[in-house]
Amino acid sequence: MARTRTQLLMAAAGVAAVFTATGCGAADMTKQSSPYANVGGAKSVTLSVQSWVGAQSNVAVAQYLLEHELDYRVDTVQVDEVPAWDALSQDRVDAILEDWGHPDQEQRYVKDKKTIVPGGGLGVTGHIGWWVPKYFADAHPDVLDWKNLNKYAKTFKTAESGGKGQLLDGSPSYVTNDKALVKNLKLNYQIVFSGSEAAQITQMKQFAKAKKPFLSYWYEPQWLFNQVPMVEVKLPKYTDKCADEGAKDPDSFDCAYPTTPLQKYLNADFAKKGGKAAAFLKNFHWTKKDQNEVSELIASQGMSPEDAAKKWVEAHPDVWKKWMP
């Protein structure tokens, strides 16, 4: 993100379960190869699937088109963000389709070892922040300045926040700056982890249904904004200096998350020898609206990723035909 997901993100275990997974964890994943590898000369591609639904939407559409238009067999593996880079470097997966910025891994694998190469922009810009529901911001507009958050700490208090205001986060496995921000901005808040993106969405929808106030770590693109309009709280302005100091000492972060054009990365050998599949993945480029359309079909309307991808593909040939090599 230059922001780094070293600043972030999310998991939706319930949604992710619908994908084929050859590994059940990042450590295991890096020891495995695609089950389709070397099967009778079959053309195969292995894609890394991050656990948030937007990333799953990228893979669902890419997989559908690779299989139905280019005659590839596609293996998908769910693996956490940082281990996914290790797996990509080791040729255990061929591509990551949505990366929010990992400077250390980019330096190690792209610049130094040259085992990974950039695959181009996804076309989607990502941003993480703290958000409140629009109905609460309309009634209390000053809440949108972080300096006034302590004024609303009691308003955001829950049974889980121990007498402080609740800042709702996703999974404890996400790498975020929230702990440092609460401490360094001297905010009377307790971070409460919902456990996953899916659980966080459920909780926010419950709050919204009851018109209750809430403060949540959240991000865009995300389909939930279509159903629960939210407004971002303005944290201290993001600066490169803050980011550089935070990279050296994560406990020092005291500024907002950056806005980041999301990127794709390919295994270097696959990029050279992957033929039409590699060319297609480099060409894959869509909008936040496109991604949210597929994400909402999966996460809100209960469609399988394959069916959601099929529906999108049938409706948007003008977009995806440009990706064909």
Side-chain angles (χ1 to χ4, degrees):
M1 316 176 187
R3 116 222 245 72
T4 105
R5 209 111 134 151
T6 284
Q7 294 147 4
L8 358 340
L9 257 185
M10 29 257 110
V15 176
V18 299
F19 283 88
T20 301
T22 62
C24 53
D28 292 338
M29 165 58 216
T30 58
K31 298 177 183 177
Q32 299 188 41
S33 60
S34 167
Y36 301 135
N38 302 315
V39 179
K43 296 189 300 180
S44 64
V45 180
T46 304
L47 301 177
S48 173
V49 184
Q50 285 89 344
S51 57
W52 55 95
V53 70
Q56 293 163 0
S57 299
N58 305 325
V59 172
V61 171
Q63 178 176 0
Y64 186 89
L65 289 169
L66 282 165
E67 291 179 342
H68 291 82
E69 296 293 326
L70 297 175
D71 297 322
Y72 280 81
R73 298 184 68 172
V74 180
D75 178 29
T76 61
V77 185
Q78 185 177 333
V79 56
D80 291 340
E81 292 175 76
V82 174
W85 279 79
D86 302 329
L88 188 62
S89 175
Q90 296 165 13
D91 198 22
R92 306 302 185 184
V93 299
D94 294 316
I96 296 172
L97 299 186
E98 181 173 314
D99 185 80
W100 288 64
H102 291 86
D104 291 344
Q105 283 68 34
E106 291 174 43
Q107 180 65 45
R108 181 181 306 121
Y109 293 129
V110 177
K111 298 178 182 178
D112 296 340
K113 292 188 174 183
K114 303 186 188 307
T115 53
I116 293 174
V117 297
L122 176 64
V124 177
T125 298
H127 177 65
I128 294 171
W130 292 358
W131 305 75
V132 296
K134 186 176 184 299
Y135 54 78
F136 187 78
D138 287 345
H140 307 278
D142 62 331
V143 75
L144 299 181
D145 184 336
W146 72 269
K147 294 177 182 178
N148 296 321
L149 284 177
N150 279 341
K151 171 183 174 181
Y152 292 98
K154 290 184 178 180
T155 304
F156 292 125
K157 182 176 67 174
T158 68
E160 292 78 24
S161 61
K164 297 182 178 182
Q166 174 176 284
L167 172 58
L168 181 64
D169 268 46
S171 167
S173 68
Y174 302 162
V175 184
T176 79
N177 301 333
D178 287 0
K179 183 177 179 181
L181 285 167
V182 168
K183 177 179 178 291
N184 295 329
L185 299 182
K186 297 179 173 56
L187 297 176
N188 187 31
Y189 281 77
Q190 176 66 43
I191 298 170
V192 176
F193 294 99
S194 59
S196 70
E197 183 187 61
Q200 191 175 2
I201 287 173
T202 296
Q203 193 160 355
M204 286 192 285
K205 290 177 76 172
Q206 289 173 344
F207 281 131
K209 184 176 181 180
K211 293 295 183 182
K212 290 183 178 180
F214 65 85
L215 174 67
S216 185
Y217 163 102
W218 204 231
Y219 42 88
E220 53 182 0
Q222 227 295 333
W223 62 270
L224 185 64
F225 287 104
N226 295 340
Q227 298 184 10
V228 181
M230 288 179 273
V231 186
E232 187 175 6
V233 174
K234 292 184 179 179
L235 294 169
K237 185 178 179 180
Y238 171 85
T239 64
D240 290 339
K241 179 181 178 181
C242 173
D244 291 342
E245 291 177 352
K248 297 175 184 175
D249 178 13
D251 291 335
S252 72
F253 272 107
D254 60 0
C255 64
Y257 292 92
T259 296
T260 305
L262 306 184
Q263 302 296 314
K264 299 168 294 177
Y265 287 92
L266 308 181
N267 172 272
D269 286 340
F270 171 74
K272 293 178 182 178
K273 304 173 184 177
K276 289 184 177 181
F280 165 80
L281 293 173
K282 290 176 184 177
N283 292 340
F284 188 106
H285 185 277
W286 63 350
T287 66
K288 177 174 73 173
K289 182 177 182 294
D290 291 322
Q291 189 189 84
N292 281 344
E293 185 176 332
V294 179
S295 296
E296 189 165 11
L297 290 173
I298 296 171
S300 182
Q301 298 187 28
M303 293 182 69
S304 70
E306 182 178 9
D307 287 345
K310 182 176 186 290
K311 183 172 182 177
W312 184 88
V313 165
E314 290 176 346
H316 300 282
D318 56 317
V319 177
W320 62 261
K321 285 188 175 181
K322 298 175 182 177
W323 308 340
M324 291 296 123

